[in-house]
Amino acid sequence: MIYLKRKIDIFLQEWKSKFDRKPLIVKGPRQVGKTESIRRFGAGNYENVIEINFVEEPKYKMITTDGYKTNDIIKNISLLDPEKRFMEGKTLIFFDELQEFPEISTALKFFQLDGRFDVICSGSMLGINYKKIESNSVGYKTDFEMYSLDFEEFLWAKGYDDSKVGDLLKHMESNTPFNEVELSVYNALFLDFCVLGGMPAVVREYIAKGTFEGSLETQRQLIADYKEDIRKYAEGVDQTRVLNVFNRIAVQLAKDNKKFQISKVASGARFKDYRGCIEWLDDAGMINICYCLGFPELPLKGNYEETKYKIYFADSGLLVAMLDEEAQEDLRSNKNLGVYKGALYENIVGEALVKSGYELYYYKREDSTLEEDFFVRTASELIPIEVKATNGRAKSLRTLINSEKYTDIRYGIKFTGGNIGYRDRVYTFPYFCAFLLKRYLKKEIYMEGNKQ
């Protein structure tokens, strides 16, 4: 099976190199490649790996019968399977499907204090149980959040190395347009990535076959699995309501007004009845919520209206899988990403921002047509981001930059299907550069000195 190089690979090596490393918890939605990456890391870095999967082997939920101390747990694991060997300093203990047995997180403190064995826990739906896990292990663990592949990891899968990513960033930093070959190649790769999304099963099949054959069936199976998870894990909230919200996301993104409207989910639906359902989907890593700012100014946290938001899929491939048959045909045959009124573009840029570590915010002024897709911040500035399905004028962006009302905004960024450019304090980049935005803004050379 083709192994897809992932960003967690680098993180795991860094974690192992630390003398005082704590037990690690890898969070993330189902089927984004957590188990595969951890297994590969274990095989390459330890003489001995003990893997316990609480879904496949529920008997191991008994290992805390005598308490949570390391010796007690090791004794009980050895009783259940005498072939498991514990070599001090050379063993990785990997607890998988942690969401099935969050109680084991209480043991992390004791493994940390004991220090003889490295421990990694992993699971999907961890956000749902995380309050319990956090309270049981606070101060004695390290967290890593894993997502489906971003465009950088997709480029790795296609055989491109870090030098190509560095080259993309240099183009952005120097404000140098791509030549015809570069633009053509990266646009084609990005279109494929948009249609496929970043779920490893889908990408691996595409890499192996070189075509989209079978990708839609795999995407739809993933959707079915997600819905099954809702039925299995959605405790304390109405499962039907959670499914209703999940099923309505694509439909609502298709509208000109992309604000998610609870009233359109079901007859008589109210925000207070559905709030927990939306939070559940967010905690499960299935969606990204983009909140409406009360006013476009710093700081962003606390400056948003929690009843006004847009909902995007955490992986654009899932949005693609939920398109109707005609849109599917148009998208796959003609690579027409304009389907659903630019919703796919917005979803993809929002996804890239989240995978870079940003939270999502937008702004819509009630008394005008002023609306901005996303906002990010640097240490001192608020930067509006517009996602254009066509390379047209960005009226709202210019208003935000030029009006004296918005004192935290001096520049804007526009993602389009075109090339790199700069005009009237708006930096324009192709969509395929969105994953590099955080690295670009860190350099801060986009400020005054870099003008053409």
Side-chain angles (χ1 to χ4, degrees), residues 309-322:
Y309 46 84
K310 296 185 281 189
I311 298 179
Y312 299 106
F313 283 97
D315 185 271
S316 296
L318 302 181
L319 169 58
V320 168
M322 294 188 82

Side-chain angles (χ1 to χ4, degrees), residues 85-155:
R85 296 277 178 265
F86 292 86
M87 301 160 64
E88 293 183 19
K90 298 176 180 179
T91 297
L92 172 67
I93 302 173
F94 173 27
F95 295 117
D96 202 4
E97 304 289 5
L98 181 62
Q99 77 280 355
E100 285 291 318
F101 191 54
E103 289 80 3
I104 194 65
S105 58
T106 305
L108 299 185
K109 172 183 177 179
F110 298 103
F111 276 111
Q112 161 74 2
L113 295 172
D114 182 282
R116 288 176 292 160
F117 310 103
D118 285 352
V119 178
I120 299 180
C121 301
S122 172
S124 54
M125 307 293 149
L126 284 193
I128 313 306
N129 298 305
Y130 214 62
K131 289 187 181 72
K132 187 191 294 184
I133 292 167
E134 181 71 37
S135 63
N136 288 349
S137 55
V138 65
Y140 295 97
K141 64 172 175 56
T142 299
D143 289 318
F144 182 86
E145 189 148 5
M146 192 170 178
Y147 303 97
S148 61
L149 282 82
D150 67 4
F151 188 54
E152 183 170 11
E153 291 169 314
F154 183 77
L155 289 175

